[in-house]
């Protein structure tokens, strides 16, 4: 029996990648923004109550960090109230919610990778609204899973890498922030990391909504795949190092780039940023490694593969 998976945010960077990666293994349905607006909670409940699924993956979010400062009510609606509604729908259907969150729930004061037990202390409206969403999801049903990711890139929507390579193609001078650190993480690798969690429902899935014993659906509390889990490629870097590696890869794979070396900017130079951002937000994947026995590859290898397959071909 194939697991029935619904993906919300199917038009976004991560959601579109999960749709593509999971189509072959699962019975997947996606909702993009036009098909399901998380700001309309009645519509969300009504549409999802009519759908049959074992797992709901929410990748949709109000992700514009600066705009969240100005539109905080909307940020909390999309990033906190809507995930709570999703969690309730899933609870009532005996389905599992996998809800994506962010490294921006941390204040960035630490200088070693954040674990799941580190206290979240957001410093922006975006971070606060995402943290509130995490809490509401897990309060609603403790078998749900919150997955925090950082600096996400992939072929379905341009991100920092694409911007840096595009700039390096037209200018000899490219700069990036050198005093802010995290880990670039590839959507393809997030999909691979999530796979064993979703697959559990395929192995042991028994559709029996009349019973509440979650073990029968294959993702019980003992599995450990509930609560909060950090997903990141291995290693850490500044945006300057990230940009430098992307440009080095572009050159290696034959892109005609004018810029060779990425210059350093300070976080304090970013005068047009409205929201505060954590200086250090590396996520430790140690818990995931212990649960799955699988180690994510390094961010450098992931960026290299992405540039070779998706950027250097155009
Ligand atoms: N990108 C990163 O670097 C990063 C870092 C840490 C955590 N995350 C988290 O990872 C998850 C996936 O992010 P992503 O990179 O895929 O972001 P993304 O490309 O911005 O995708 C977010 C999706 O949410 C949709 N959306 C926005 N408002 C909506 C609404 N009211 N109703 C329904 N859909 C709505 C967007 O649709 P439209 O574009 O059509 O509005 C978009 O398809 C999010 O939870 C994000 O917070 C991302």
């Amino acid at each position: 029996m194939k697991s029935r998976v619904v993906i919300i945010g199917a038009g976004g960077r991560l959601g579109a990648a999960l749709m593509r990666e999971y189509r072959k293994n699962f019975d997947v349905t996606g909702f993009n923004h036009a098909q399901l607006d998380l700001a309309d909670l009645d519509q969300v409940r009504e549409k999802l109550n009519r759908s049959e699924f074992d797992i709901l993956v929410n990748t949709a979010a109000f992700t514009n960090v600066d705009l969240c400062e100005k539109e905080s009510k909307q940020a909390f609606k999309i990033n906190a109230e809507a995930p709570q509604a999703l969690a309730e729908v899933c609870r009532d259907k005996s389905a599992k919610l996998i809800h994506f969150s962010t490294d921006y729930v941390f204040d960035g004061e630490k200088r070693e990778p954040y674990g799941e037990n580190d206290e979240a202390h957001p410093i922006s409206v975006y971070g606060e609204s995402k943290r509130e969403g995490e809490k509401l999801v897990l309060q609603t049903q403790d078998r749900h899973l919150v997955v925090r990711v950082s600096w996400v890139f992939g072929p379905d929507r341009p991100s920092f890498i694409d911007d840096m390579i595009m700039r390096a193609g037209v200018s000899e001078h490219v700069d990036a922030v050198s005093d802010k650190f995290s880990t670039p993480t590839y959507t393809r690798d997030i999909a691979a990391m999530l796979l064993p969690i979703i697959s559990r429902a395929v192995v042991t899935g028994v559709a029996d909504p009349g019973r509440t014993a979650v073990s029968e659906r294959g993702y019980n509390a003992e599995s450990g795949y509930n609560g909060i889990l950090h997903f990141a490629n291995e290693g850490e870097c500044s945006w300057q190092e990230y940009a430098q590696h992307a440009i080095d890869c572009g050159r290696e794979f034959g892109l005609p780039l004018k810029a060779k070396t990425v210059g350093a900017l300070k976080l304090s130079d970013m005068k047009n940023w409205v929201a505060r951002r954590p200086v250090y937000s590396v996520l430790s994947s140690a818990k995931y490694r212990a649960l799955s026995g699988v180690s994510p590859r390094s961010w450098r290898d992931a960026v290299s593969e992405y540039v070779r397959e998706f950027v250097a071909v155009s």
Side-chain angles (χ1 to χ4, degrees):
M1 178 178 121
K2 272 190 175 182
S3 224
R4 298 160 302 176
V5 180
V6 164
I7 295 174
I8 300 181
R13 186 178 300 117
L14 178 58
L18 296 183
M19 290 290 297
R20 187 179 45 255
E21 299 285 337
Y22 291 162
R23 238 181 209 129
K24 43 192 179 295
N25 298 324
F26 306 114
D27 174 0
V28 182
T29 309
F31 289 100
N32 62 25
H33 194 164
Q35 292 162 326
L36 187 75
D37 182 2
L38 290 187
D40 182 347
L41 299 184
D42 289 338
Q43 184 207 46
V44 167
R45 290 191 190 95
E46 194 259 318
K47 278 200 176 168
L48 293 176
N49 277 329
R50 275 197 276 120
S51 307
E52 295 292 332
F53 54 86
D54 303 303
I55 297 185
L56 179 65
V57 182
N58 180 34
T59 65
F62 189 164
T63 53
N64 185 323
V65 176
D66 288 326
L67 199 57
C68 282
E69 297 291 314
K70 291 187 203 146
E71 298 182 10
S72 64
K73 201 163 169 238
Q74 185 75 347
F76 274 87
K77 183 151 220 177
I78 311 297
N79 293 343
E81 289 175 46
Q84 181 180 30
L86 300 179
E88 289 166 354
V89 169
C90 289
R91 177 196 60 202
D92 296 346
K93 283 177 169 290
S94 296
K96 183 181 182 75
L97 174 63
I98 298 173
H99 172 67
F100 276 88
S101 190
T102 173
D103 54 328
Y104 276 28
V105 298
F106 294 114
D107 59 17
E109 295 297 318
K110 237 181 135 183
R111 289 296 173 269
E112 58 187 51
Y114 282 94
E116 290 80 354
N117 291 330
D118 281 316
E119 200 181 326
H121 183 233
I123 54 173
S124 64
V125 170
Y126 171 70
E128 283 169 9
S129 64
K130 293 291 287 184
R131 177 62 187 140
E132 186 63 14
E134 295 181 346
K135 285 192 205 159
L136 292 171
V137 163
L138 296 177
Q139 270 168 25
T140 303
Q141 172 62 267
D142 60 9
R143 111 171 78 121
H144 292 335
L145 175 67
V146 167
V147 178
R148 293 183 183 138
V149 290
S150 63
W151 292 7
V152 178
F153 67 91
D156 299 283
R157 193 172 272 200
S159 62
F160 180 81
I161 299 187
D162 310 271
D163 185 42
M164 286 294 132
I165 288 184
M166 189 267 292
R167 287 199 214 177
V170 294
S171 169
E172 286 174 12
H173 301 285
V174 174
D175 297 322
V177 171
S178 62
D179 55 355
K180 179 172 165 28
F181 304 87
S182 193
T183 309
T185 300
Y186 192 5
T187 52
R188 178 179 278 175
D189 293 2
I190 296 172
M193 290 176 82
L194 202 58
L195 193 61
I197 301 172
I198 297 187
S199 299
R200 295 183 72 81
V202 180
V203 176
T204 56
V206 177
D208 186 1
R211 303 183 64 164
T212 51
V214 292
S215 58
E216 278 154 12
R217 299 188 77 88
Y219 28 70
N220 58 12
E222 292 81 54
S223 74
Y225 290 123
N226 44 38
I228 298 175
L229 205 48
H230 290 176
F231 279 16
N233 280 115
E234 203 51 49
E236 58 185 72
C237 61
S238 68
W239 272 347
Q240 183 191 20
E241 290 167 296
Y242 182 13
Q244 186 65 59
H245 182 56
I247 287 172
D248 290 346
C249 291
R251 301 179 79 85
E252 182 187 345
F253 300 126
L255 284 175
L257 302 182
K258 291 183 176 164
K260 286 188 178 145
T261 307
V262 178
L265 286 173
K266 294 273 168 226
L267 204 47
S268 55
D269 295 332
M270 308 308 288
K271 303 288 183 212
N272 57 345
W273 282 358
V274 181
R276 286 180 68 208
R277 284 140 165 99
V279 167
Y280 182 93
S281 58
V282 177
L283 300 174
S284 164
S285 295
K287 181 178 170 189
Y288 178 81
R289 278 200 305 275
L291 283 170
S292 67
V294 175
S295 294
R297 65 178 156 173
S298 76
W299 69 267
R300 285 182 178 276
D301 289 349
V303 167
S304 175
E305 180 183 288
Y306 170 68
V307 172
R308 178 168 47 82
E309 280 189 27
F310 293 103
V311 187
V313 290
S314 48

